[in-house]
Amino acid sequence: MPSRADGRVVSVAPERLGAWLDGFAARHGHPRATVTDAGLFLAGPDGATAAVRLDWGPLPGLDPLAEVVAAALRPRPAAALIVRRRAHAVGIFRGEQLLTGRHDRHYAQSRTKAGGWSQQRYARRRGNQAERAYREAADDAAAVLLPRLAEVEVLATGGDQAAVNQVLAEPALAGLASLPRVRVDGVPDPNAGVLAGFGRRLREVRITLNELA
């Protein structure tokens, strides 16, 4: 499978994926399809390629084009964890619908240009603020997500990956951390609107195209 660096990445809504695949074939000829656990790789006769990321797991491979559309359209239940230094959000989704969720903001001191002891003091203060913010995110994840853990298939994460990892390192969240992961890139500081729209973002199908596609 090509990596993100091999070309541009487009995001396609599940409802548009079938039409997108038909358009790829119309533009580049009937593609050769290769299925791996990570994705569906399409190679057109003209050299154009498209790598469809399979966030929801492998396909049977009998009819990969139809199967990838069916997999994308299924309204899967998912837990969501979005963490940044200044805010976090957690939620339970079925498809795009937010069933329950919680979000909060945190005070995060700006960086200082001062040197010496002053800089070290600010760094310690910022570190303490981040620790408190991540503990609050972990508390909300435990309160909102853990009681419904048996209902979900995946954990969708967004925000600062290092912050997400630190929250999931809490021993109480081991069950949440063990879920299959879906990473949603480019999520801003979460608020009510960001959380409500996260269901749409996590269902989008990411496709990497080469320069001929």
Side-chain angles (χ1 to χ4, degrees), residues 80 82 93 95-98 184 187-188 191-204:
I82 310 168
F93 289 86
E96 292 188 13
Q97 182 184 7
L98 176 63
V184 180
V187 181
N191 54 30
V194 170
L195 178 59
F198 191 72
R200 175 185 57 80
R201 292 286 312 278
L202 74 89
R203 294 185 71 226
E204 290 176 339

Side-chain angles (χ1 to χ4, degrees), residues 50-158:
V52 183
R53 200 171 86 185
L54 300 180
D55 284 328
W56 308 111
L59 303 172
L62 301 177
D63 186 355
L65 297 185
E67 289 166 8
V68 74
V69 173
L73 286 172
R74 189 157 75 85
R76 300 169 187 269
L81 173 64
I82 310 168
V83 187
R84 289 192 177 277
R85 181 184 290 266
R86 296 182 182 273
H88 73 266
V90 298
I92 298 290
F93 289 86
R94 180 170 292 279
E96 292 188 13
Q97 182 184 7
L98 176 63
L99 302 180
T100 183
R102 187 179 296 178
H103 61 90
D104 201 0
R105 295 192 61 81
H106 317 290
Y107 174 73
Q109 192 164 13
S110 300
R111 294 183 183 277
T112 177
K113 295 182 180 180
W117 287 105
S118 179
Q119 185 178 29
Q120 295 175 28
R121 186 170 63 251
Y122 274 100
R124 287 195 300 272
R125 189 175 300 168
R126 280 172 54 84
N128 291 336
Q129 290 165 356
E131 289 289 339
R132 285 195 296 271
Y134 301 156
R135 282 199 301 271
E136 291 176 13
D139 289 345
D140 279 351
V144 176
L145 305 183
L146 290 187
R148 304 185 69 162
L149 201 59
E151 303 175 24
V152 302
E153 295 182 8
V154 298
L155 171 63
T157 65

Side-chain angles (χ1 to χ4, degrees), residues 165-178:
N165 291 342
Q166 187 163 337
V167 170
L168 291 175
E170 289 289 331
L173 300 182
L176 186 66
S178 68

